């Protein structure tokens, strides 16, 4: 069925209006998923709710050429146990884990075969890893406590000699009940928690949260606030790319890279602190706008910093590209070819490095990006070198965008007053964070309370793809491959 | 190679002075004097993320940049608790990380120090304490020093780590009647 058929039934998602999800039955739930996939659309997020949020239901957020769509499959409580809803894993392979998480958190079961727990770890309960058998195959278990300064998670490698035959991830160690915790926040205060879903993407999450809230409450924020939010988002992208480019050099045995890039990152963080009040802008984006005015000299200082970081990064890029050892480690390592990336639904910067050139800043055209028109690049080799190249491109483009925002920053108010309207409502916000598309779905209740909030991290899509990226690589290259994706545990584990 | 050397030469030394230890971060008045006697300032740290949002890890990583240059102080991060003198733990501790954290604590040789970092390591922070969040690190293992902040800046982290280390600061605290009670 062509997608047009569904368009008639959907209400398009507008900037300043609440969203009414398209309510579908089990059959249409499947057909819609098939039609979106056939039209080249993608599944952005899949989440559930139980009776505590009204009634049990499963939601899907799709992005198509026509925009962002939300579908809701109502699961009547008595039928839940013996009548599972149709799974989507064959169409969107990453959906399997989301469905397992829905079962852990809300008890709703899909028709897909894998029902192992995902986010919920019962104490003492054994997890059934897939066993690889054959001559000389052995397993290497890693984590949940990792050797470096990173988040907790478990990796099970099946290897022959040095070669990885299979990697299986076991996540959920950072599961701290964020979705339930949202219910204890007033909707106006929820951006604080949203910012901490994944600390490295604080601006992306708090902005997506605020769009979800402001759209359903009919709040129009000042133009100046939109531009300042974009400034913070680009600074977040710059800081993370700098950090990862340094760490990637280090993982390739080139400590010089770490030293240089971590120095540049520190410069950006300090300039950010001076301008926005925090090194990591955790509480900068708030409902109605942004939290404070830039100090008088901040724009000049920030502009100088971005100019310098951009220029230094060009020099460092040249050094990375000319360094034989670094090139040898980056090239061909952890590759995901474009056709596999499309099938796996690889997203964000990793997707763009494998030929999946999508970016919400361009594709959803939300303000101020429809004016800023960021250049969205990509690569096709899909290896560590491609992800490094995409990071360099995006780093330089974000420096340019940041400087343009500073030069053309509109005047006016920073923030408008936000008052909770009486009726319950639902809204969705989606922002392209540095890692990929971040989506927040928010249902508010009368009195400005949160009825249900689901923050979605692009890591859900990319963690399973990482399992593919390491196949046939050697174990010592895993840290390098892993860092080139740098996925979030906390944003995924919730 | 020439470009690399030129860049190193152009960058020069960017390391900044060390912040003073902050004894007010210490929640145990009496530290393991044995540790301080043995170590002086050479310290091996094992970082454990017990369920954080990853914000604290970003700032811990910043400690190793050339500006804070924690290795220049003789402090370094190690890959195994068996090599560690001090555990740096971010929170909130999740139910899934409770046992791994206890095992790390047990695997760290005595005498040992524990520094809990971030508002979440202190009391669960924005995530609170309930359901799968067990809140403060001190709810699971004994803690010597707490460095609050969301996330705490590298300088605050350094002040906290040095507070755990500095024997003279320990004496000061005792003379003033001790830090906060545990």
């Amino acid at each position: 069925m062509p997608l047009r058929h569904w368009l008639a039934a959907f209400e398009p998602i507008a900037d300043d209006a609440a969203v009414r999800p398209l309510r579908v039955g089990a059959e249409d739930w499947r057909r819609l998923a098939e039609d979106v996939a056939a039209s080249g659309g993608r599944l952005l997020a899949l989440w559930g709710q139980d009776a505590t949020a009204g009634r049990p239901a499963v939601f899907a957020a799709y992005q198509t050429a026509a925009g962002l769509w939300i579908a809701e499959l109502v699961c009547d409580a008595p039928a839940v146990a013996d009548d599972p809803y149709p799974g989507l894993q064959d169409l969107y392979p990453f959906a399997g884990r989301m469905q397992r998480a829905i079962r852990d958190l809300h008890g709703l079961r899909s028709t897909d075969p894998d029902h192992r727990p995902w986010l919920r770890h019962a104490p003492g309960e054994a997890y059934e890893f897939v066993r690889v058998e054959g001559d000389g195959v052995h397993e290497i278990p890693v984590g949940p406590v990792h050797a470096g300064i990173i988040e907790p998670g478990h990796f099970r490698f099946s290897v022959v000699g040095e070669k990885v035959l299979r990697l299986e991830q076991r996540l959920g160690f950072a599961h701290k009940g964020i979705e339930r915790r949202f219910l204890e926040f007033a909707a106006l205060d929820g951006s604080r928690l949203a910012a901490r879903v994944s600390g490295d993407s604080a601006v992306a999450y708090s902005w997506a949260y605020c769009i979800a809230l402001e759209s359903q409450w009919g709040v129009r924020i000042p133009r100046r606030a939109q531009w300042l939010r974009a400034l913070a988002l680009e600074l977040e992208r710059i800081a993370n790319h700098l950090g990862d480019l340094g760490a990637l050099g280090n993982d390739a045995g080139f400590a010089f890279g770490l030293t240089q890039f971590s120095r540049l990152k520190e410069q950006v963080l300090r300039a950010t602190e001076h301008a926005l009040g925090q090194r990591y802008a955790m509480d900068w984006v708030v409902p109605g706008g942004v939290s404070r005015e830039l100090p008088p000299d901040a724009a000049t200082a920030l502009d100088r910093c971005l100019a310098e970081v951009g220029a230094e990064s060009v020099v460092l890029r040249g050094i990375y590209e000319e360094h034989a050892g670094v090139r040898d480690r980056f090239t061909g390592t952890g590759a995901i070819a474009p056709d596999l990336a499309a099938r796996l639904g690889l997203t964000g910067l990793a997707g763009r490095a494998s030929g999946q050139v999508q970016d919400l800043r361009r594709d959803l055209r939300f303000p101020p990006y429809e004016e800023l028109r960021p250049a969205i690049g990509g690569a096709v080799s899909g290896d560590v070198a491609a992800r490094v190249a995409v990071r360099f491109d995006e780093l330089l483009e974000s420096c340019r965008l940041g400087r343009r925002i500073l030069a053309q920053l509109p005047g006016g108010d920073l923030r408008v007053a936000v008052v909770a309207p009486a009726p319950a409502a639902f809204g969705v916000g989606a922002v392209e964070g540095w890692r990929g598309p971040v989506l927040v779905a928010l249902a508010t209740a009368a009195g400005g309370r949160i009825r249900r909030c689901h923050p979605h991290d692009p890591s859900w899509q990319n963690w399973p793809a990482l399992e593919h990226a390491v196949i046939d690589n050697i174990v010592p290259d895993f840290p390098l491959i892993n860092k080139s994706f740098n996925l979030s545990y906390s944003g995924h584990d919730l | 190679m020439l470009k690399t050397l030129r860049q190193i030469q152009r960058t020069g030394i960017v390391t900044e002075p060390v912040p003073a230890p902050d004894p007010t971060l210490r929640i145990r008045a009496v530290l393991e004097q044995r540790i301080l006697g043995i170590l002086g300032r050479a310290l091996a740290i094992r970082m454990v993320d017990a369920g954080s949002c990853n914000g604290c890890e970003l700032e811990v990583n910043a400690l190793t940049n050339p500006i804070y240059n924690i290795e220049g102080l003789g402090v370094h991060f190690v890959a195994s608790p068996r090599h560690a003198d001090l555990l740096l733990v971010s929170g909130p501790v999740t139910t899934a990380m409770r046992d791994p954290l206890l095992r790390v604590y047990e695997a760290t040789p005595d005498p040992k120090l524990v520094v809990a970092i971030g508002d979440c390591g202190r009391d669960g922070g924005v995530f609170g304490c309930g359901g799968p969040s067990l809140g403060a690190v001190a709810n699971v293992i004994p803690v010597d020093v707490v460095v609050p902040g969301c996330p705490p800046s590298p300088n605050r982290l350094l002040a906290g780590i040095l507070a755990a280390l500095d024997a003279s600061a320990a004496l000061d605290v005792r003379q003033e009647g001790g830090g906060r009670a545990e």
Side-chain angles (χ1 to χ4, degrees):
Chain A
M1 192 185 303
L3 221 44
R4 275 198 318 274
H5 163 82
W6 298 101
L7 264 177
F10 270 105
E11 289 185 37
I13 292 181
D15 282 351
D16 55 351
V19 176
R20 214 168 307 143
L22 180 71
R23 247 169 229 152
V24 293
E27 204 173 294
D28 275 356
W29 174 259
R30 232 349 257 197
R31 274 167 52 206
L32 174 62
E34 286 165 4
D35 292 345
V36 169
S39 76
R42 56 177 175 163
L43 177 67
L44 279 184
L46 192 64
W47 69 97
Q49 68 177 30
D50 47 43
T52 57
R55 56 178 167 186
V58 187
F59 294 83
Y62 294 108
Q63 190 202 340
T64 71
L68 205 58
W69 301 8
I70 309 293
E72 177 184 3
L73 171 64
V74 176
C75 308
D76 291 314
V80 168
D82 31 276
D83 195 11
Y85 65 90
L88 305 179
Q89 196 178 344
D90 55 327
L91 300 165
Y92 309 99
F94 54 81
R97 289 178 176 180
M98 300 179 193
Q99 291 170 170
R100 289 162 66 188
I102 290 171
R103 190 181 185 209
D104 286 348
L105 301 177
H106 310 293
L108 301 168
R109 202 156 55 91
S110 81
T111 53
D112 283 329
D114 191 347
H115 292 298
R116 289 175 297 170
W118 185 240
L119 292 185
R120 195 149 281 177
H121 292 229
E125 184 190 40
Y127 185 80
E128 286 177 33
F129 288 93
V130 175
R131 290 292 295 271
V132 178
E133 288 174 351
D135 270 357
V137 178
H138 69 283
E139 288 187 348
I140 306 175
V142 179
V145 180
H146 294 300
I149 303 168
I150 54 169
E151 300 177 74
H154 182 92
F155 300 123
R156 185 68 59 97
F157 297 92
S158 298
V159 302
V160 168
E162 288 261 278
K163 196 166 89 171
V164 179
L165 297 180
R166 181 186 165 87
L167 160 64
E168 187 173 355
Q169 297 148 0
R170 168 84 176 112
L171 302 178
F173 289 92
H175 176 59
K176 43 198 170 282
I178 291 176
E179 291 186 310
R180 185 150 297 180
R181 180 68 174 165
F182 265 113
L183 307 183
E184 293 164 26
F185 279 71
L188 273 174
D189 200 29
S191 54
R192 280 200 312 124
L193 182 57
R196 290 156 176 88
V197 169
S198 181
D200 55 22
S201 304
V203 177
Y205 272 99
S206 50
W207 192 356
Y209 177 90
C210 286
I211 293 175
L213 184 73
E214 288 155 0
S215 61
Q216 63 185 285
W217 286 0
V219 178
R220 301 217 76 142
I221 67 162
R223 205 156 159 262
R224 183 174 176 80
Q226 289 168 347
W227 281 62
L228 285 170
R229 285 179 177 182
L231 176 66
L233 186 71
E234 298 311 320
L235 289 171
E236 184 169 271
R237 196 181 319 276
I238 292 166
N240 279 292
H241 283 345
L242 287 170
D244 287 346
L245 284 168
L248 281 159
N250 202 47
D251 282 342
F254 194 41
F256 162 87
L258 180 64
T259 310
Q260 290 288 332
F261 279 110
S262 62
R263 170 181 69 88
L264 296 179
K265 181 179 179 182
E266 182 68 23
Q267 281 181 18
V268 171
L269 294 178
R270 288 180 177 195
T272 305
E273 183 178 26
H274 179 57
L276 311 185
Q278 289 171 297
R279 286 161 61 86
Y280 291 93
M282 292 276 178
D283 301 307
W284 167 252
V285 182
V286 292
V290 296
S291 60
R292 56 165 241 186
E293 189 51 88
L294 300 180
D297 60 334
T300 321
L302 202 47
D303 182 71
R304 199 179 321 120
C305 170
L306 294 182
E308 193 182 321
V309 166
E312 294 251 6
S313 298
V314 170
V315 174
L316 293 174
R317 182 176 203 167
I319 291 174
Y320 268 30
E321 282 172 356
E322 286 170 24
H323 193 284
V326 169
R327 271 176 55 181
D328 180 55
R329 291 291 303 282
F330 286 180
T331 308
T333 307
I336 297 185
D339 58 335
L340 179 61
R343 262 185 291 142
L344 294 176
L346 194 65
T347 191
L349 85 90
R352 290 190 287 278
S354 289
Q356 312 303 304
V357 184
Q358 291 174 310
D359 190 312
L360 295 180
R361 291 177 297 167
R362 182 194 65 188
D363 304 336
L364 285 188
R365 304 181 62 81
F366 61 96
Y369 286 104
E370 54 193 356
E371 276 181 80
L372 290 170
R373 295 187 171 276
I376 309 300
V380 290
S381 57
D383 52 0
V384 173
R387 288 184 285 276
V388 167
V390 169
R391 282 176 190 274
F392 269 118
D393 290 343
E394 296 188 358
L395 165 64
L396 296 173
E397 175 65 2
S398 291
C399 287
R400 188 189 71 80
L401 286 173
R403 298 186 69 197
R404 174 158 173 222
I405 292 170
L406 288 166
Q408 299 174 2
L409 193 60
D413 291 337
L414 279 181
R415 192 173 176 180
V416 291
V418 180
V419 186
F426 175 72
V428 171
V431 168
E432 189 80 18
W434 68 270
R435 192 181 272 122
V438 164
L439 181 137
V440 173
L442 175 69
T444 56
R449 311 250 3 128
I450 296 177
R451 190 157 51 86
R452 175 83 179 93
C453 182
H454 172 71
H456 182 88
D457 198 275
S459 303
W460 278 103
Q461 271 86 342
N462 288 0
W463 274 118
L466 177 63
E467 290 185 343
H468 284 263
V470 300
I471 292 173
D472 283 350
N473 284 261
I474 56 173
V475 176
D477 271 341
F478 176 71
L480 183 65
I481 299 168
N482 191 26
K483 180 53 78 176
S484 71
F485 286 85
N486 194 6
L487 303 175
S488 176
Y489 300 70
S490 181
H492 168 283
D493 292 353
L494 296 173
Chain B
M1 189 65 200
L2 208 57
K3 267 194 196 170
T4 308
L5 292 174
R6 196 177 303 133
Q7 177 72 7
I8 290 170
Q9 193 263 336
R10 212 161 52 81
T11 307
I13 292 170
V14 293
T15 305
E16 293 179 346
V18 192
D22 185 347
T24 62
L25 300 176
R26 193 178 296 126
I27 59 170
R28 266 197 205 173
V30 183
L31 286 174
E32 285 278 8
Q33 286 302 316
R34 285 177 298 159
I35 268 198
L36 307 176
I38 296 164
L39 291 173
R41 276 197 158 178
L43 180 78
I45 300 180
R46 181 72 187 92
M47 169 78 208
V48 181
D49 176 342
S52 85
C53 77
N54 76 32
C56 285
E57 285 61 44
L58 296 172
E59 293 296 41
V60 173
N61 270 313
L63 286 173
T64 61
N65 76 28
I67 291 154
Y68 301 107
N69 189 21
I70 194 170
E71 298 228 350
L73 302 175
V75 180
H76 60 290
F77 289 92
V78 293
S80 164
R82 298 193 194 283
H83 305 155
D85 311 303
L86 183 149
L87 296 178
L88 197 61
V89 188
S90 60
V93 183
T94 63
T95 46
M97 281 305 290
R98 182 181 172 277
D99 287 351
L101 179 59
L102 280 170
R103 283 208 295 275
V104 166
Y105 183 77
E106 281 155 18
T108 310
D110 281 320
K112 56 197 162 198
L113 296 163
V114 177
V115 176
I117 60 171
D119 288 352
C120 302
R122 180 187 57 192
D123 56 15
V126 74
F127 302 107
C129 183
S133 167
L134 301 175
V137 174
N139 291 343
V140 180
I141 57 173
V143 170
D144 298 285
V145 170
V146 173
V147 186
C150 188
S153 70
N155 265 329
R156 293 296 288 162
L157 289 169
L158 212 46
I161 292 166
L162 295 177
L165 261 190
D166 194 315
S168 61
L171 291 173
D172 290 345
V173 171
R174 272 207 299 283
Q175 280 158 7
E176 288 160 19
R180 278 174 286 157
E182 194 183 349

